[in-house]
Amino acid sequence: MAGTLTVLVGKDTSEAELRPAGENRLEAKGVKSGSGARLVATIRRDAANRVTVRFVMK
């Protein structure tokens, strides 16, 4: 399982790879977010199975 995390803060956008970080965990290194940041995570189990999650940091 892997994916990408996109962070939108104002007009700035950053993206990082989501990589396995233990059982049932994914981790993105080098991404900074804060209050009000919008995050979009696209998670891939394999080539056919993909899910996208969107949320806002409080």
Side-chain angles (χ1 to χ4, degrees), residues 1-4 18 20 26 42-52:
M1 194 176 328
T4 58
L18 286 169
L26 294 172
T42 301
I43 302 166
R44 298 181 309 271
R45 260 191 119 164
D46 55 39
N49 295 313
R50 182 178 294 196
V51 64
T52 301

Side-chain angles (χ1 to χ4, degrees), residues 3-37:
T4 58
L5 178 68
T6 304
V7 180
L8 306 155
V9 180
K11 294 184 180 184
D12 296 329
T13 302
S14 62
E15 191 170 291
E17 287 290 319
L18 286 169
R19 297 186 181 235
E23 191 172 330
N24 294 320
R25 275 186 71 187
L26 294 172
E27 180 177 70
K29 293 186 178 183
V31 175
K32 295 181 182 179
S33 67
S35 180

